[in-house]
Amino acid sequence: MNSLFQPSRREFLHRASGGFGALALAGLWDEAHGAPVDPLASRQGHFPAKADRVIFLYSTGGVSHVDTFDHKPRLIRDHGKGITASRWLNKPGKFDRFLIKSRWDFKPYGQSGIMVSDLFPHVGGVIDDICVLNAMHCDSDGHDKATLAAHTGSAQAIRPSAGAWVSYGLGTENRNLPSFMVLAPAAPYAGAQTWGSDFLPACHQGTHVVPGIDPLPNLKPNSSAAELQALELAMLGKLNRSHLEHRAADQALDARIRSFETAFGMQREAPEAFDLSRESDATLKLYGLTRGATTGFGWQCLVARRLAERGVRFLELIDVGSSANWDSHGNMADHERLAKAIDQPIAGLLTDLKQRGMLERTLVVWTSEFGRTPFHKEANHPGREHHNLCFTSWMAGGGVKGGLVHGQSDEHGILPGDGAVHTHDLHATMLHLLGIDHERLTYRYAGRDFRLTDVAGEVVHPIIA
């Protein structure tokens, strides 16, 4: 027989013994992965968790660490002096460059006295709840690759996002809402791959919510009555499950069925979750919002708090897309506009979570794909280039020590020194705080076991309370 017409293994299993081969395969699949019949059922991790959920704040474009949270007095003193850099514009080598100081002042905040730039005065006001990671590093200084790595742990190939892995590992606490949601006006570099599920079941991919008057379009039911729609969906579900019985190992079909179920639940619960009209004036002010606003990072942060209250497991908030972002090659003054847009909302989110008793069990993470060079080829150049060798991220709540700086870069902020944290380490620590052993959360695909941290990653134990 021509090989082009030979049935695939899946087709053979579907046909063999009336489909029992496929049923056996599905059973082995679930057994091998420890997966329950319902892939979104809420479940415990490998050990007691310190956090129940994650709010992942992502600033697109590469935020400069030496202008925000990594204070470098020596960089100020050595401004204009020449150095030899080992990397420049994605290329290794020896490059004669000039040190460039920050144009913003730093001052100590909180009881901890952590130095924070004038770009983030509101975040400075809550710094005692934050653990700053000042010796972050990653493998790529290209936007697409570094963005993929920050989200999926892989700079070279498309892999499931961190949110999809958390959904796969822990399920959801609310079946009427997706387990993983992304609030973003636009996609970052690498696009929707940053919240995709890749080879994990499709029910774990992120649901993209675009801020605006209608953040979740097509949510309003077409049926004139809820009872009628329920009958229609029940009939649809019956037909779909009958169809699935003959295709037991078809995860795409199973995910489609579950998406209908979640969508029906969202019609009841999502409109209320996105309705800010009942929030007090004081709460709106905390986030820098005016009543009736439906866009902006303040809206994203407040909606994230409301969704976290309602059991969404992983929330990502992206401030800007792949243009007009923190990629300040030409002029670092761009950072001022971008910081102003997120500073008060982030501080408001941390304050609001703390006031409601939620911060203790909510892990908040802020990061960018990489930092920016503390040097340039011109002594008075106003911009900075990509710098993956050292940058800053931070974590708050969810079992993390507040008022702490972990790790330090060298005297100019060029290379990490003590306490270096790789992107894999950040992901391993996130999972650990959720009660997940990053080495045991695996998925068998294409003949090997994959995980978020690939074959690396160490939990950063010194920052855990």
Side-chain angles (χ1 to χ4, degrees):
M1 181 184 293
N2 189 318
S3 60
L4 290 176
F5 296 98
Q6 290 180 353
S8 68
R9 181 167 54 182
R10 173 175 289 181
E11 289 171 335
F12 174 78
L13 289 167
H14 285 163
R15 297 172 185 172
S17 302
F20 283 109
L23 288 169
L25 176 62
L28 289 172
W29 185 276
D30 287 344
E31 182 180 348
H33 293 83
V37 175
D38 180 358
L40 287 173
S42 179
R43 50 196 173 274
Q44 300 297 314
H46 299 121
F47 43 80
K50 292 180 177 291
D52 299 321
R53 65 196 72 86
V54 176
I55 299 178
F56 190 83
L57 311 174
Y58 188 76
S59 290
T60 302
V63 180
S64 172
H65 53 302
V66 295
D67 292 291
T68 54
F69 298 101
D70 194 1
H71 182 227
K72 290 298 166 192
R74 184 64 182 270
L75 184 62
I76 298 172
R77 295 198 300 270
D78 291 347
H79 175 74
K81 290 185 178 180
I83 63 161
T84 299
S86 63
R87 192 169 182 83
W88 180 255
L89 299 178
N90 301 333
K91 296 179 180 179
K94 292 184 178 181
F95 305 91
D96 293 330
R97 296 293 180 261
F98 298 93
L99 294 168
I100 306 291
K101 69 178 181 179
S102 175
R103 65 176 66 193
W104 294 279
D105 292 330
F106 283 68
K107 60 174 63 75
Y109 282 88
Q111 294 183 351
S112 59
I114 294 175
M115 301 293 286
V116 179
S117 159
D118 285 347
L119 284 175
F120 285 100
H122 289 93
V123 172
V126 294
I127 200 67
D128 285 340
D129 293 316
I130 290 173
C131 175
V132 180
L133 306 173
N134 267 342
M136 288 289 301
H137 61 108
C138 64
D139 296 332
S140 175
D141 54 5
H143 283 300
D144 287 354
K145 290 184 176 181
T147 299
L148 273 180
H151 287 84
T152 73
S154 173
Q156 304 301 326
I158 300 171
R159 293 289 181 261
S161 63
W165 278 111
V166 170
S167 173
Y168 168 67
L170 298 178
T172 184
E173 295 179 313
N174 185 345
R175 286 306 308 266
N176 291 329
L177 291 170
S179 57
F180 172 24
M181 300 183 75
V182 180
L183 311 181
Y189 298 99
Q193 297 170 353
T194 55
W195 58 77
S197 59
D198 194 37
F199 49 69
L200 293 178
C203 59
H204 298 300
Q205 70 183 8
T207 296
H208 184 196
V209 175
V210 180
I213 296 175
D214 190 16
L216 284 172
N218 305 315
L219 200 60
K220 185 177 180 180
N222 293 323
S223 302
S224 58
E227 294 80 5
L228 177 59
Q229 187 188 26
L231 289 172
E232 292 173 346
L233 288 173
M235 176 60 72
L236 178 62
K238 183 178 180 180
L239 292 173
N240 281 333
R241 282 181 172 76
S242 176
H243 187 59
L244 183 62
E245 286 178 1
H246 302 289
R247 295 162 177 80
D250 192 336
Q251 295 186 54
L253 177 57
D254 184 55
R256 177 68 62 87
I257 294 171
R258 296 182 191 282
S259 71
F260 282 122
E261 295 170 348
T262 300
F264 181 52
M266 286 177 67
Q267 289 179 352
R268 298 194 304 270
E269 190 149 347
E272 189 276 334
F274 286 87
D275 181 7
L276 307 186
S277 63
R278 295 185 181 181
E279 295 288 348
S280 68
D281 290 338
T283 298
L284 295 175
K285 183 179 179 181
L286 192 62
Y287 289 85
L289 283 173
T290 58
R291 188 163 293 281
T294 58
T295 59
F297 205 68
W299 181 90
Q300 292 169 249
C301 285
L302 180 50
V303 169
R305 187 221 80 202
R306 293 175 62 85
L307 291 169
E309 282 180 311
R310 288 157 178 78
V312 177
R313 185 71 72 180
F314 196 103
L315 289 147
E316 175 165 5
L317 281 57
I318 302 174
D319 59 348
V320 283
S322 56
S323 60
N325 55 45
W326 297 83
D327 194 24
S328 301
H329 290 280
N331 194 338
M332 287 301 298
D334 290 344
H335 269 40
E336 195 157 323
R337 167 183 59 87
L338 292 156
K340 186 176 182 180
I342 68 172
D343 178 37
Q344 183 175 352
I346 290 176
L349 173 63
L350 294 181
T351 301
D352 200 11
L353 289 171
K354 191 171 183 179
Q355 290 175 347
R356 294 169 184 271
M358 294 178 61
L359 185 59
E360 183 178 351
R361 303 291 300 182
T362 303
L363 177 62
V364 182
V365 181
W366 175 84
T367 192
S368 189
E369 60 260 49
F370 41 59
R372 309 205 73 80
T373 54
F375 48 81
H376 210 282
K377 62 181 179 180
E378 299 173 18
N380 294 307
H381 196 285
R384 298 189 190 277
E385 304 296 338
H386 300 180
H387 193 65
N388 66 300
L389 303 180
C390 190
F391 64 101
T392 294
S393 302
W394 58 252
M395 307 174 85
V400 172
K401 294 177 183 177
L404 175 70
V405 175
H406 175 80
Q408 60 181 1
S409 59
D410 63 26
E411 58 190 6
H412 295 130
I414 298 173
L415 296 172
D418 295 337
V421 176
H422 188 274
T423 303
H424 290 317
D425 304 328
L426 182 72
H427 289 159
T429 305
M430 288 168 53
L431 293 179
H432 180 85
L433 292 165
L434 290 166
I436 298 173
D437 182 342
H438 72 103
E439 293 183 344
R440 294 169 60 192
L441 183 66
T442 62
Y443 195 91
R444 190 90 177 157
Y445 174 73
R448 63 163 282 197
D449 290 331
F450 285 87
R451 69 185 204 221
L452 174 60
T453 53
D454 195 28
V455 294
E458 297 288 339
V459 176
V460 187
H461 287 288
I463 74 172
I464 298 174

